[in-house]
Amino acid sequence: MTSLPAGDRPSDPVASAAPLVSRTVPLPPELGTALLALLPARGARDLCSWVRRGEGVVGWGRAASHTASGPDRMAELDQWWSGLMAHAVVRDEVRRPGTGPIAFGSISYAASSPAGATLVVPEVVVGVRGGAAWLTTVTVDTTPAVPGGVELTHQPAPQGPADVAFADGSLSPAEWAGAVADAVQRITAGDLDKVVLARDLEVSTTGELDVRWLLHRLAERYDTTWVFAVDGLVGATPELLVRREKGLVTSRVLAGTIRRTGDDDHDLALAASLARSSKDLEEHEYAVRSVADALAPHCSSMNVPEVPFVLHLSNVMHLATDVAGVLVDDASALALAASLHPSAAVCGTPTPVADAVIAELEHMDRGRYAGPVGWIDASGDGEFGIALRCGEVSATDPSRMRLFAGCGIVAGSVPEDEVAESSAKLVPMRDALTASGPA
């Protein structure tokens, strides 16, 4: 609960006379032991989260926000944020990455998407990292934000959705399998090397969806992922597009997937087969190469491992590679995300051809699925993942949402296997919507 008003702030403080004012103070560590439990009951577009294994940042309210569209949407957001910070009044008593004013962002996959790109600066942010906890309050006023005006308490458990129903989205599974077969033919003909095709699933419920319910379930079951919520987009991504922290840039690339069975011995055998799979290794190589090439102009001393490792998640396993480099320019986390998007992990190779195939075969607007999602602080440090294993609450009907999942298609792809893989990737959100009982 907070005593700060929400929803009545100017959307563009850069153009207003009053600067954005931020204050960060340390908190007793025990106050940050359950970040998601601090989120108050608010609408889906008024809550923010970036949490992994109990650490991260959550926020609520809107001190400021900005939305951009078109090919330069991320550059416009970066410029808006830089301008906002240039005039901000900041008092930071903690001085860690993520303290001071931060903005949560989610970006549309396609430049043409009406979903656009949005940065949200919450009025209240609580963060936890490395045993330290902090509270940041933000206002657009000449009076400094007063943390004492915010009451931090664990909120009552959110209620789960009622009467959850799922329906095919733009394509049925059979139609989508046909799209995969079409893509394989084009790859075999030499038109492109790889394309990532996604499908959607429509969800309807009785009553307004409480994003907090989904966040609790996802964090409980997929604690190795980054559990996020930004402007109505909510999910649990295993893929860190980019982290910028004190001059070091890192990116985790995932491509190549196999479903887990729940039998540990069998899953170990499956992991070994994934690590030897020529189809999956080829898909992974394209994705790693695209990330390394995009980061190279911004970095020196890059480390690109030659062999991927197998990342074990609750429901699937992925081939994974961590790419790292030393930043040599002043590119912010958001600018680096713009350089990386879209990577081969969500688009394909070569990018322009794959993007055109996606637009032709998917028969849908991805919205902000497969786009960058994360946060940025006043210094330009931050973390952006790829919005995977996610859904978006409808802006016009909060009882409805769309879920998304995609698969990398290469020459050896089998349509029926890709349908099964996409279904496995829909499991986290489906389970979160239909789970019962307290987290």
Short mmCIF file of all heavy atoms in Angstrom, two decimals, residues 144-215:
data_model
loop_
_atom_site.label_atom_id
_atom_site.label_comp_id
_atom_site.label_asym_id
_atom_site.label_seq_id
_atom_site.Cartn_x
_atom_site.Cartn_y
_atom_site.Cartn_z
N PRO A 144 10.98 16.98 -2.72
CA PRO A 144 11.60 15.65 -2.76
C PRO A 144 10.63 14.56 -2.34
O PRO A 144 9.77 14.76 -1.46
CB PRO A 144 12.77 15.77 -1.78
CG PRO A 144 13.05 17.23 -1.70
CD PRO A 144 11.73 17.91 -1.87
N ALA A 145 10.76 13.41 -3.00
CA ALA A 145 9.96 12.26 -2.61
C ALA A 145 10.32 11.85 -1.19
O ALA A 145 11.47 11.88 -0.78
CB ALA A 145 10.21 11.10 -3.57
N VAL A 146 9.31 11.47 -0.42
CA VAL A 146 9.52 11.11 0.98
C VAL A 146 9.21 9.62 1.15
O VAL A 146 8.05 9.22 1.12
CB VAL A 146 8.63 11.95 1.92
CG1 VAL A 146 8.86 11.57 3.37
CG2 VAL A 146 8.87 13.43 1.70
N PRO A 147 10.24 8.78 1.30
CA PRO A 147 9.98 7.35 1.47
C PRO A 147 9.09 7.04 2.66
O PRO A 147 8.41 6.04 2.68
CB PRO A 147 11.39 6.76 1.65
CG PRO A 147 12.27 7.71 0.92
CD PRO A 147 11.67 9.07 1.19
N GLY A 148 9.11 7.93 3.67
CA GLY A 148 8.26 7.68 4.83
C GLY A 148 6.79 7.70 4.50
O GLY A 148 5.96 7.25 5.29
N GLY A 149 6.43 8.22 3.31
CA GLY A 149 5.04 8.25 2.91
C GLY A 149 4.56 6.96 2.29
O GLY A 149 3.41 6.86 1.88
N VAL A 150 5.42 5.96 2.21
CA VAL A 150 5.07 4.68 1.61
C VAL A 150 5.02 3.61 2.68
O VAL A 150 5.97 3.44 3.44
CB VAL A 150 6.08 4.28 0.52
CG1 VAL A 150 5.72 2.93 -0.08
CG2 VAL A 150 6.14 5.35 -0.57
N GLU A 151 3.93 2.90 2.74
CA GLU A 151 3.78 1.81 3.70
C GLU A 151 4.03 0.49 2.99
O GLU A 151 3.29 0.14 2.06
CB GLU A 151 2.38 1.83 4.31
CG GLU A 151 2.16 0.74 5.35
CD GLU A 151 0.74 0.72 5.87
OE1 GLU A 151 -0.01 1.66 5.58
OE2 GLU A 151 0.39 -0.25 6.58
N LEU A 152 5.06 -0.23 3.41
CA LEU A 152 5.40 -1.51 2.79
C LEU A 152 4.90 -2.64 3.67
O LEU A 152 5.38 -2.83 4.79
CB LEU A 152 6.91 -1.62 2.59
CG LEU A 152 7.54 -0.66 1.58
CD1 LEU A 152 9.05 -0.86 1.56
CD2 LEU A 152 6.96 -0.87 0.20
N THR A 153 3.95 -3.39 3.17
CA THR A 153 3.43 -4.55 3.89
C THR A 153 3.18 -5.66 2.89
O THR A 153 2.91 -5.41 1.71
CB THR A 153 2.12 -4.22 4.61
OG1 THR A 153 1.14 -3.77 3.66
CG2 THR A 153 2.32 -3.15 5.68
N HIS A 154 3.26 -6.90 3.37
CA HIS A 154 2.89 -8.02 2.51
C HIS A 154 1.38 -7.98 2.29
O HIS A 154 0.60 -7.92 3.24
CB HIS A 154 3.30 -9.34 3.16
CG HIS A 154 4.79 -9.57 3.09
ND1 HIS A 154 5.37 -10.74 3.50
CD2 HIS A 154 5.80 -8.79 2.63
CE1 HIS A 154 6.69 -10.66 3.30
NE2 HIS A 154 6.96 -9.48 2.78
N GLN A 155 0.99 -8.01 1.04
CA GLN A 155 -0.41 -7.87 0.67
C GLN A 155 -1.15 -9.20 0.80
O GLN A 155 -0.54 -10.28 0.78
CB GLN A 155 -0.50 -7.38 -0.78
CG GLN A 155 0.22 -6.07 -1.04
CD GLN A 155 -0.43 -4.92 -0.31
OE1 GLN A 155 -1.65 -4.74 -0.36
NE2 GLN A 155 0.36 -4.12 0.39
N PRO A 156 -2.47 -9.13 0.95
CA PRO A 156 -3.26 -10.37 0.94
C PRO A 156 -3.02 -11.14 -0.36
O PRO A 156 -2.76 -10.54 -1.41
CB PRO A 156 -4.71 -9.87 1.04
CG PRO A 156 -4.61 -8.52 1.66
CD PRO A 156 -3.31 -7.94 1.18
N ALA A 157 -3.11 -12.46 -0.28
CA ALA A 157 -2.85 -13.28 -1.47
C ALA A 157 -3.83 -12.93 -2.58
O ALA A 157 -5.03 -12.78 -2.33
CB ALA A 157 -2.98 -14.76 -1.10
N PRO A 158 -3.35 -12.78 -3.80
CA PRO A 158 -4.24 -12.47 -4.92
C PRO A 158 -5.14 -13.65 -5.24
O PRO A 158 -4.82 -14.81 -4.95
CB PRO A 158 -3.28 -12.18 -6.07
CG PRO A 158 -2.03 -12.92 -5.73
CD PRO A 158 -1.93 -12.87 -4.24
N GLN A 159 -6.27 -13.35 -5.84
CA GLN A 159 -7.22 -14.38 -6.23
C GLN A 159 -6.94 -14.86 -7.64
O GLN A 159 -6.63 -14.07 -8.53
CB GLN A 159 -8.65 -13.84 -6.14
CG GLN A 159 -9.09 -13.47 -4.73
CD GLN A 159 -9.08 -14.67 -3.81
OE1 GLN A 159 -9.70 -15.71 -4.11
NE2 GLN A 159 -8.39 -14.56 -2.68
N GLY A 160 -7.05 -16.15 -7.83
CA GLY A 160 -6.83 -16.72 -9.15
C GLY A 160 -7.98 -16.45 -10.09
O GLY A 160 -9.10 -16.14 -9.66
N PRO A 161 -7.74 -16.52 -11.40
CA PRO A 161 -8.80 -16.29 -12.38
C PRO A 161 -9.84 -17.40 -12.35
O PRO A 161 -9.53 -18.55 -12.02
CB PRO A 161 -8.06 -16.26 -13.71
CG PRO A 161 -6.82 -17.05 -13.48
CD PRO A 161 -6.44 -16.82 -12.04
N ALA A 162 -11.07 -17.04 -12.68
CA ALA A 162 -12.16 -18.01 -12.69
C ALA A 162 -12.58 -18.33 -14.12
O ALA A 162 -12.49 -17.48 -15.02
CB ALA A 162 -13.35 -17.45 -11.91
N ASP A 163 -13.02 -19.56 -14.32
CA ASP A 163 -13.56 -19.99 -15.61
C ASP A 163 -12.59 -19.71 -16.76
O ASP A 163 -12.94 -19.10 -17.77
CB ASP A 163 -14.90 -19.30 -15.89
CG ASP A 163 -15.93 -19.54 -14.79
OD1 ASP A 163 -15.99 -20.68 -14.29
OD2 ASP A 163 -16.64 -18.60 -14.43
N VAL A 164 -11.36 -20.18 -16.59
CA VAL A 164 -10.34 -19.95 -17.62
C VAL A 164 -10.62 -20.84 -18.83
O VAL A 164 -10.83 -22.05 -18.70
CB VAL A 164 -8.93 -20.25 -17.07
CG1 VAL A 164 -7.88 -20.03 -18.16
CG2 VAL A 164 -8.64 -19.38 -15.86
N ALA A 165 -10.67 -20.22 -20.00
CA ALA A 165 -10.90 -20.97 -21.24
C ALA A 165 -9.84 -20.60 -22.26
O ALA A 165 -9.44 -19.43 -22.35
CB ALA A 165 -12.29 -20.65 -21.79
N PHE A 166 -9.38 -21.60 -23.01
CA PHE A 166 -8.35 -21.39 -24.04
C PHE A 166 -8.96 -21.65 -25.41
O PHE A 166 -9.79 -22.55 -25.57
CB PHE A 166 -7.17 -22.33 -23.83
CG PHE A 166 -6.48 -22.16 -22.51
CD1 PHE A 166 -6.80 -22.98 -21.42
CD2 PHE A 166 -5.52 -21.18 -22.33
CE1 PHE A 166 -6.16 -22.83 -20.21
CE2 PHE A 166 -4.88 -21.01 -21.11
CZ PHE A 166 -5.20 -21.84 -20.05
N ALA A 167 -8.53 -20.87 -26.38
CA ALA A 167 -9.01 -21.06 -27.75
C ALA A 167 -7.85 -20.79 -28.72
O ALA A 167 -6.93 -20.04 -28.41
CB ALA A 167 -10.18 -20.12 -28.05
N ASP A 168 -7.92 -21.44 -29.89
CA ASP A 168 -6.88 -21.21 -30.89
C ASP A 168 -6.79 -19.73 -31.22
O ASP A 168 -7.80 -19.01 -31.25
CB ASP A 168 -7.19 -21.98 -32.18
CG ASP A 168 -7.04 -23.48 -32.01
OD1 ASP A 168 -6.35 -23.90 -31.06
OD2 ASP A 168 -7.61 -24.23 -32.83
N GLY A 169 -5.56 -19.29 -31.47
CA GLY A 169 -5.36 -17.91 -31.86
C GLY A 169 -5.48 -17.74 -33.36
O GLY A 169 -6.43 -18.23 -33.99
N SER A 170 -4.49 -17.10 -33.96
CA SER A 170 -4.56 -16.79 -35.39
C SER A 170 -4.56 -18.05 -36.25
O SER A 170 -5.19 -18.08 -37.30
CB SER A 170 -3.38 -15.90 -35.77
OG SER A 170 -3.37 -14.73 -34.99
N LEU A 171 -3.85 -19.09 -35.81
CA LEU A 171 -3.79 -20.35 -36.54
C LEU A 171 -4.06 -21.51 -35.58
O LEU A 171 -3.63 -21.47 -34.42
CB LEU A 171 -2.42 -20.55 -37.18
CG LEU A 171 -1.98 -19.55 -38.27
CD1 LEU A 171 -0.56 -19.87 -38.71
CD2 LEU A 171 -2.94 -19.55 -39.44
N SER A 172 -4.73 -22.54 -36.06
CA SER A 172 -4.88 -23.76 -35.28
C SER A 172 -3.55 -24.50 -35.29
O SER A 172 -2.67 -24.22 -36.12
CB SER A 172 -5.96 -24.65 -35.90
OG SER A 172 -5.51 -25.16 -37.15
N PRO A 173 -3.36 -25.48 -34.40
CA PRO A 173 -2.10 -26.25 -34.43
C PRO A 173 -1.84 -26.89 -35.80
O PRO A 173 -0.70 -26.90 -36.27
CB PRO A 173 -2.32 -27.31 -33.34
CG PRO A 173 -3.23 -26.64 -32.36
CD PRO A 173 -4.16 -25.81 -33.21
N ALA A 174 -2.89 -27.39 -36.45
CA ALA A 174 -2.70 -28.01 -37.77
C ALA A 174 -2.29 -26.97 -38.81
O ALA A 174 -1.41 -27.22 -39.65
CB ALA A 174 -3.98 -28.72 -38.20
N GLU A 175 -2.93 -25.81 -38.76
CA GLU A 175 -2.56 -24.74 -39.70
C GLU A 175 -1.14 -24.26 -39.46
O GLU A 175 -0.39 -23.97 -40.40
CB GLU A 175 -3.55 -23.58 -39.58
CG GLU A 175 -4.95 -23.90 -40.08
CD GLU A 175 -5.96 -22.84 -39.72
OE1 GLU A 175 -5.77 -22.16 -38.67
OE2 GLU A 175 -6.94 -22.68 -40.46
N TRP A 176 -0.77 -24.19 -38.19
CA TRP A 176 0.59 -23.74 -37.87
C TRP A 176 1.62 -24.76 -38.32
O TRP A 176 2.69 -24.40 -38.81
CB TRP A 176 0.71 -23.46 -36.37
CG TRP A 176 1.97 -22.74 -36.00
CD1 TRP A 176 2.26 -21.43 -36.20
CD2 TRP A 176 3.11 -23.31 -35.35
NE1 TRP A 176 3.51 -21.13 -35.71
CE2 TRP A 176 4.06 -22.27 -35.18
CE3 TRP A 176 3.42 -24.58 -34.87
CZ2 TRP A 176 5.28 -22.47 -34.57
CZ3 TRP A 176 4.65 -24.79 -34.26
CH2 TRP A 176 5.57 -23.74 -34.12
N ALA A 177 1.29 -26.04 -38.19
CA ALA A 177 2.19 -27.10 -38.69
C ALA A 177 2.38 -26.95 -40.19
O ALA A 177 3.49 -27.17 -40.72
CB ALA A 177 1.61 -28.48 -38.36
N GLY A 178 1.33 -26.54 -40.90
CA GLY A 178 1.45 -26.28 -42.33
C GLY A 178 2.39 -25.13 -42.62
O GLY A 178 3.16 -25.16 -43.59
N ALA A 179 2.34 -24.09 -41.76
CA ALA A 179 3.26 -22.96 -41.92
C ALA A 179 4.70 -23.40 -41.70
O ALA A 179 5.62 -22.96 -42.41
CB ALA A 179 2.88 -21.85 -40.95
N VAL A 180 4.91 -24.28 -40.73
CA VAL A 180 6.24 -24.82 -40.47
C VAL A 180 6.73 -25.60 -41.69
O VAL A 180 7.89 -25.45 -42.12
CB VAL A 180 6.25 -25.71 -39.21
CG1 VAL A 180 7.59 -26.43 -39.07
CG2 VAL A 180 5.96 -24.88 -37.96
N ALA A 181 5.87 -26.42 -42.26
CA ALA A 181 6.25 -27.20 -43.44
C ALA A 181 6.63 -26.28 -44.60
O ALA A 181 7.61 -26.54 -45.33
CB ALA A 181 5.11 -28.12 -43.84
N ASP A 182 5.89 -25.20 -44.75
CA ASP A 182 6.20 -24.22 -45.80
C ASP A 182 7.57 -23.60 -45.55
O ASP A 182 8.39 -23.45 -46.47
CB ASP A 182 5.12 -23.13 -45.79
CG ASP A 182 5.20 -22.19 -46.99
OD1 ASP A 182 6.29 -22.05 -47.57
OD2 ASP A 182 4.18 -21.58 -47.33
N ALA A 183 7.84 -23.26 -44.27
CA ALA A 183 9.15 -22.66 -43.93
C ALA A 183 10.29 -23.63 -44.22
O ALA A 183 11.34 -23.23 -44.74
CB ALA A 183 9.14 -22.25 -42.47
N VAL A 184 10.10 -24.91 -43.89
CA VAL A 184 11.15 -25.91 -44.13
C VAL A 184 11.44 -26.02 -45.63
O VAL A 184 12.61 -26.12 -46.04
CB VAL A 184 10.74 -27.28 -43.55
CG1 VAL A 184 11.71 -28.37 -44.00
CG2 VAL A 184 10.68 -27.22 -42.03
N GLN A 185 10.40 -25.96 -46.45
CA GLN A 185 10.60 -26.02 -47.90
C GLN A 185 11.45 -24.84 -48.37
O GLN A 185 12.34 -25.01 -49.21
CB GLN A 185 9.25 -26.01 -48.62
CG GLN A 185 8.48 -27.31 -48.51
CD GLN A 185 7.16 -27.26 -49.28
OE1 GLN A 185 6.72 -26.20 -49.71
NE2 GLN A 185 6.54 -28.42 -49.48
N ARG A 186 11.19 -23.66 -47.84
CA ARG A 186 11.94 -22.47 -48.25
C ARG A 186 13.40 -22.57 -47.80
O ARG A 186 14.31 -22.14 -48.51
CB ARG A 186 11.29 -21.22 -47.68
CG ARG A 186 9.86 -21.01 -48.16
CD ARG A 186 9.28 -19.72 -47.63
NE ARG A 186 7.85 -19.66 -47.89
CZ ARG A 186 7.16 -18.53 -48.04
NH1 ARG A 186 7.80 -17.36 -47.97
NH2 ARG A 186 5.86 -18.54 -48.26
N ILE A 187 13.61 -23.13 -46.61
CA ILE A 187 14.98 -23.29 -46.12
C ILE A 187 15.72 -24.31 -46.97
O ILE A 187 16.88 -24.11 -47.37
CB ILE A 187 14.95 -23.72 -44.62
CG1 ILE A 187 14.40 -22.57 -43.77
CG2 ILE A 187 16.34 -24.12 -44.16
CD1 ILE A 187 14.07 -22.97 -42.35
N THR A 188 15.05 -25.42 -47.29
CA THR A 188 15.66 -26.46 -48.12
C THR A 188 16.01 -25.92 -49.51
O THR A 188 17.02 -26.31 -50.11
CB THR A 188 14.71 -27.67 -48.25
OG1 THR A 188 14.39 -28.16 -46.93
CG2 THR A 188 15.35 -28.79 -49.04
N ALA A 189 15.18 -25.00 -49.99
CA ALA A 189 15.42 -24.41 -51.32
C ALA A 189 16.54 -23.37 -51.30
O ALA A 189 16.94 -22.87 -52.34
CB ALA A 189 14.14 -23.77 -51.83
N GLY A 190 17.02 -23.03 -50.10
CA GLY A 190 18.12 -22.09 -49.99
C GLY A 190 17.72 -20.64 -49.83
O GLY A 190 18.57 -19.75 -49.90
N ASP A 191 16.40 -20.39 -49.61
CA ASP A 191 15.95 -19.01 -49.45
C ASP A 191 16.48 -18.37 -48.17
O ASP A 191 16.70 -17.16 -48.12
CB ASP A 191 14.41 -18.95 -49.43
CG ASP A 191 13.80 -19.39 -50.74
OD1 ASP A 191 14.55 -19.52 -51.73
OD2 ASP A 191 12.58 -19.62 -50.79
N LEU A 192 16.66 -19.17 -47.12
CA LEU A 192 17.17 -18.69 -45.83
C LEU A 192 17.70 -19.88 -45.05
O LEU A 192 17.49 -21.04 -45.45
CB LEU A 192 16.09 -17.95 -45.04
CG LEU A 192 14.90 -18.73 -44.45
CD1 LEU A 192 14.14 -17.83 -43.47
CD2 LEU A 192 13.93 -19.21 -45.52
N ASP A 193 18.38 -19.60 -43.94
CA ASP A 193 18.98 -20.66 -43.13
C ASP A 193 18.07 -21.09 -41.97
O ASP A 193 18.01 -22.26 -41.61
CB ASP A 193 20.32 -20.19 -42.54
CG ASP A 193 21.33 -19.88 -43.63
OD1 ASP A 193 21.43 -20.68 -44.59
OD2 ASP A 193 22.01 -18.85 -43.53
N LYS A 194 17.38 -20.10 -41.37
CA LYS A 194 16.56 -20.38 -40.18
C LYS A 194 15.48 -19.32 -40.08
O LYS A 194 15.69 -18.16 -40.46
CB LYS A 194 17.42 -20.35 -38.91
CG LYS A 194 16.62 -20.40 -37.61
CD LYS A 194 17.47 -20.12 -36.38
CE LYS A 194 16.59 -20.00 -35.14
NZ LYS A 194 17.37 -19.71 -33.91
N VAL A 195 14.32 -19.72 -39.58
CA VAL A 195 13.27 -18.76 -39.26
C VAL A 195 12.57 -19.22 -37.97
O VAL A 195 12.44 -20.43 -37.73
CB VAL A 195 12.25 -18.63 -40.40
CG1 VAL A 195 11.48 -19.94 -40.64
CG2 VAL A 195 11.27 -17.49 -40.12
N VAL A 196 12.20 -18.27 -37.14
CA VAL A 196 11.47 -18.57 -35.90
C VAL A 196 10.00 -18.25 -36.13
O VAL A 196 9.64 -17.11 -36.43
CB VAL A 196 12.01 -17.76 -34.71
CG1 VAL A 196 11.21 -18.07 -33.45
CG2 VAL A 196 13.48 -18.06 -34.49
N LEU A 197 9.16 -19.26 -36.03
CA LEU A 197 7.72 -19.07 -36.19
C LEU A 197 7.03 -19.18 -34.84
O LEU A 197 7.33 -20.08 -34.05
CB LEU A 197 7.14 -20.11 -37.15
CG LEU A 197 7.58 -20.00 -38.62
CD1 LEU A 197 6.89 -21.07 -39.46
CD2 LEU A 197 7.28 -18.61 -39.17
N ALA A 198 6.10 -18.27 -34.60
CA ALA A 198 5.38 -18.24 -33.33
C ALA A 198 3.89 -18.47 -33.57
O ALA A 198 3.38 -18.26 -34.67
CB ALA A 198 5.59 -16.89 -32.63
N ARG A 199 3.22 -18.92 -32.54
CA ARG A 199 1.77 -19.07 -32.56
C ARG A 199 1.20 -18.47 -31.28
O ARG A 199 1.92 -18.29 -30.30
CB ARG A 199 1.36 -20.54 -32.69
CG ARG A 199 2.00 -21.46 -31.68
CD ARG A 199 1.61 -22.91 -31.90
NE ARG A 199 0.27 -23.21 -31.42
CZ ARG A 199 -0.02 -24.20 -30.55
NH1 ARG A 199 0.95 -24.97 -30.08
NH2 ARG A 199 -1.24 -24.42 -30.17
N ASP A 200 -0.09 -18.14 -31.31
CA ASP A 200 -0.72 -17.54 -30.14
C ASP A 200 -1.91 -18.37 -29.69
O ASP A 200 -2.42 -19.24 -30.42
CB ASP A 200 -1.13 -16.09 -30.41
CG ASP A 200 -2.18 -15.96 -31.50
OD1 ASP A 200 -2.28 -16.88 -32.35
OD2 ASP A 200 -2.90 -14.95 -31.52
N LEU A 201 -2.34 -18.10 -28.47
CA LEU A 201 -3.45 -18.79 -27.84
C LEU A 201 -4.29 -17.74 -27.14
O LEU A 201 -3.76 -16.88 -26.41
CB LEU A 201 -2.93 -19.82 -26.84
CG LEU A 201 -3.85 -20.92 -26.34
CD1 LEU A 201 -4.26 -21.83 -27.50
CD2 LEU A 201 -3.17 -21.75 -25.26
N GLU A 202 -5.58 -17.76 -27.37
CA GLU A 202 -6.49 -16.79 -26.75
C GLU A 202 -6.97 -17.32 -25.40
O GLU A 202 -7.28 -18.50 -25.26
CB GLU A 202 -7.70 -16.53 -27.64
CG GLU A 202 -7.35 -15.91 -28.99
CD GLU A 202 -7.05 -14.43 -28.88
OE1 GLU A 202 -7.29 -13.84 -27.80
OE2 GLU A 202 -6.57 -13.86 -29.88
N VAL A 203 -7.02 -16.43 -24.41
CA VAL A 203 -7.47 -16.79 -23.07
C VAL A 203 -8.62 -15.87 -22.67
O VAL A 203 -8.55 -14.65 -22.85
CB VAL A 203 -6.33 -16.64 -22.03
CG1 VAL A 203 -6.82 -17.02 -20.64
CG2 VAL A 203 -5.14 -17.48 -22.43
N SER A 204 -9.67 -16.46 -22.12
CA SER A 204 -10.76 -15.67 -21.55
C SER A 204 -11.05 -16.16 -20.14
O SER A 204 -10.89 -17.35 -19.83
CB SER A 204 -12.02 -15.78 -22.42
OG SER A 204 -12.48 -17.12 -22.48
N THR A 205 -11.42 -15.25 -19.26
CA THR A 205 -11.74 -15.58 -17.88
C THR A 205 -12.99 -14.81 -17.46
O THR A 205 -13.50 -13.96 -18.18
CB THR A 205 -10.58 -15.20 -16.93
OG1 THR A 205 -10.46 -13.77 -16.90
CG2 THR A 205 -9.27 -15.80 -17.38
N THR A 206 -13.47 -15.13 -16.27
CA THR A 206 -14.56 -14.37 -15.69
C THR A 206 -13.96 -13.37 -14.71
O THR A 206 -13.33 -13.75 -13.73
CB THR A 206 -15.55 -15.28 -14.94
OG1 THR A 206 -16.10 -16.22 -15.87
CG2 THR A 206 -16.68 -14.47 -14.31
N GLY A 207 -14.12 -12.09 -14.97
CA GLY A 207 -13.55 -11.07 -14.09
C GLY A 207 -12.16 -10.66 -14.53
O GLY A 207 -11.53 -11.28 -15.40
N GLU A 208 -11.65 -9.61 -13.90
CA GLU A 208 -10.36 -9.03 -14.27
C GLU A 208 -9.20 -9.92 -13.82
O GLU A 208 -9.18 -10.41 -12.69
CB GLU A 208 -10.22 -7.65 -13.63
CG GLU A 208 -8.96 -6.91 -14.01
CD GLU A 208 -8.94 -5.48 -13.50
OE1 GLU A 208 -10.03 -4.97 -13.16
OE2 GLU A 208 -7.85 -4.88 -13.45
N LEU A 209 -8.25 -10.14 -14.72
CA LEU A 209 -7.06 -10.92 -14.39
C LEU A 209 -6.18 -10.13 -13.43
O LEU A 209 -5.92 -8.95 -13.64
CB LEU A 209 -6.26 -11.23 -15.65
CG LEU A 209 -6.76 -12.39 -16.52
CD1 LEU A 209 -6.22 -12.27 -17.93
CD2 LEU A 209 -6.35 -13.71 -15.90
N ASP A 210 -5.71 -10.79 -12.39
CA ASP A 210 -4.78 -10.18 -11.44
C ASP A 210 -3.37 -10.63 -11.81
O ASP A 210 -3.01 -11.79 -11.64
CB ASP A 210 -5.12 -10.59 -10.01
CG ASP A 210 -4.37 -9.78 -8.96
OD1 ASP A 210 -3.28 -9.26 -9.25
OD2 ASP A 210 -4.89 -9.68 -7.82
N VAL A 211 -2.58 -9.70 -12.35
CA VAL A 211 -1.22 -10.01 -12.77
C VAL A 211 -0.40 -10.61 -11.64
O VAL A 211 0.47 -11.46 -11.86
CB VAL A 211 -0.55 -8.74 -13.34
CG1 VAL A 211 0.96 -8.92 -13.44
CG2 VAL A 211 -1.13 -8.40 -14.70
N ARG A 212 -0.67 -10.20 -10.41
CA ARG A 212 0.09 -10.71 -9.27
C ARG A 212 -0.05 -12.23 -9.13
O ARG A 212 0.89 -12.92 -8.73
CB ARG A 212 -0.35 -10.01 -7.98
CG ARG A 212 -0.16 -8.50 -8.01
CD ARG A 212 -0.72 -7.87 -6.73
NE ARG A 212 -2.12 -8.24 -6.56
CZ ARG A 212 -2.76 -8.18 -5.38
NH1 ARG A 212 -2.12 -7.78 -4.29
NH2 ARG A 212 -4.04 -8.51 -5.29
N TRP A 213 -1.23 -12.76 -9.43
CA TRP A 213 -1.44 -14.21 -9.37
C TRP A 213 -0.47 -14.91 -10.32
O TRP A 213 0.19 -15.89 -9.95
CB TRP A 213 -2.88 -14.53 -9.73
CG TRP A 213 -3.17 -16.00 -9.87
CD1 TRP A 213 -3.07 -16.76 -10.99
CD2 TRP A 213 -3.57 -16.88 -8.82
NE1 TRP A 213 -3.39 -18.07 -10.72
CE2 TRP A 213 -3.70 -18.18 -9.39
CE3 TRP A 213 -3.84 -16.72 -7.45
CZ2 TRP A 213 -4.10 -19.28 -8.66
CZ3 TRP A 213 -4.24 -17.84 -6.72
CH2 TRP A 213 -4.36 -19.09 -7.31
N LEU A 214 -0.38 -14.41 -11.53
CA LEU A 214 0.50 -15.02 -12.52
C LEU A 214 1.96 -14.90 -12.09
O LEU A 214 2.73 -15.86 -12.20
CB LEU A 214 0.31 -14.34 -13.87
CG LEU A 214 -1.10 -14.47 -14.48
CD1 LEU A 214 -1.20 -13.63 -15.75
CD2 LEU A 214 -1.42 -15.91 -14.78
N LEU A 215 2.36 -13.73 -11.58
CA LEU A 215 3.75 -13.55 -11.15
C LEU A 215 4.12 -14.51 -10.03
O LEU A 215 5.20 -15.10 -10.04
CB LEU A 215 3.96 -12.10 -10.68
CG LEU A 215 3.86 -11.03 -11.76
CD1 LEU A 215 3.93 -9.64 -11.13
CD2 LEU A 215 4.97 -11.18 -12.78
#
